[in-house]
Amino acid sequence: MIIGLNLDGVLAEMMPPLNDFYNRRTGNNFRVRDYKYHDLERTWGCSKQKAVRIVENFYQSPNFLKIRPMPRAQQGIWFLSANHRFFSITSRPESTRAITEDFIKRNFGSIIKKVIHTGQYASAASSINKFDICVQEKAGALIEDCLETAIDSANRGLFTFLLDCPYNQFNGEVSAESIPKNLVRVGSWQKIMEILK
């Protein structure tokens, strides 16, 4: 099977260095567990435009280079590559391509053949949809960390894993009963390996 992989929050543990960058820049003291929504502006209490500018500055900072692989993501990709093929989708802008592809190559070798930048979290935001990319790439599954994206993809027929984290809980805005049956919340890459082996 071909599997689409979100980058940040699935392959790359972006939140700790981003949160550290934000705290140092603003004098705040947020912890990663304080992020209850995928939309950063809701946690930071600012406009979407300001949040995007902060993230764009983060991309230019040394903190961006401190991103490490998600726990067990490397083992999961290597293990599953015996039976599956992968590509990655990221909302990072095209300007981060060189650093992003270096991260993928250093941590996942040549197993992930393609990285698609949607630029959705950038000043010149794209309207491209991850589900449509998965259809174009003939993916049979998506591994995601954004609740809204996971629900949208699963509702449109794509088997979707939602990798559990503080910012993708239901929070009263989405009920557990409305979650599509082909959306599976998983606590770790270990569980993904057990399901897809």
Side-chain angles (χ1 to χ4, degrees), residues 14-23 40 44 54-55 58 63:
M14 181 172 169
M15 283 308 298
L18 174 59
N19 181 61
D20 180 64
F21 175 81
Y22 178 78
N23 284 339
L40 297 170
W44 293 343
I54 291 168
V55 173
F58 167 71
N63 281 57

Side-chain angles (χ1 to χ4, degrees), residues 93 104-105 110 124 152-153 192:
I104 293 287
K105 186 173 183 180
S110 60
D152 176 65
S153 296
I192 296 172

Side-chain angles (χ1 to χ4, degrees), residues 49-188:
Q49 291 76 17
K50 183 174 181 181
V52 167
R53 283 196 304 273
I54 291 168
V55 173
E56 288 177 336
N57 288 330
F58 167 71
Y59 290 147
Q60 304 299 318
S61 76
N63 281 57
F64 186 46
L65 302 176
K66 295 179 183 176
I67 294 176
R68 300 177 55 82
M70 288 291 288
R72 294 191 61 84
Q74 291 167 300
Q75 296 93 326
I77 293 297
W78 286 101
F79 176 76
L80 294 173
S81 67
N83 297 310
H84 305 288
R85 290 183 291 147
F86 302 99
F87 67 96
S88 182
I89 310 169
T90 180
S91 60
R92 294 179 185 181
E94 189 66 34
S95 61
T96 67
R97 178 172 291 280
I99 292 173
T100 299
E101 290 185 348
D102 179 67
F103 172 86
I104 293 287
K105 186 173 183 180
R106 276 187 293 109
N107 293 289
F108 302 99
S110 60
I111 292 176
I112 298 172
K113 303 293 185 191
K114 180 190 281 189
V115 180
I116 299 169
H117 290 252
T118 69
Q120 287 173 310
Y121 211 82
S123 296
S126 164
S127 61
I128 196 165
N129 184 283
K130 286 186 182 176
F131 173 80
D132 294 332
I133 292 171
C134 287
V135 169
Q136 180 181 327
E137 298 295 323
K138 299 179 173 49
L142 171 66
I143 304 175
E144 179 61 55
D145 71 322
C146 175
L147 177 62
E148 294 77 13
T149 298
I151 290 173
D152 176 65
S153 296
N155 272 332
R156 295 166 74 183
L158 184 63
F159 188 83
T160 306
F161 290 98
L162 180 65
L163 195 57
D164 193 52
C165 60
Y167 54 82
N168 66 21
Q169 306 305 305
F170 298 136
N171 296 318
E173 295 182 8
V174 177
S175 68
E177 295 76 30
S178 68
I179 299 299
K181 289 183 179 171
N182 59 337
L183 191 157
V184 178
R185 184 183 287 274
V186 289
S188 67

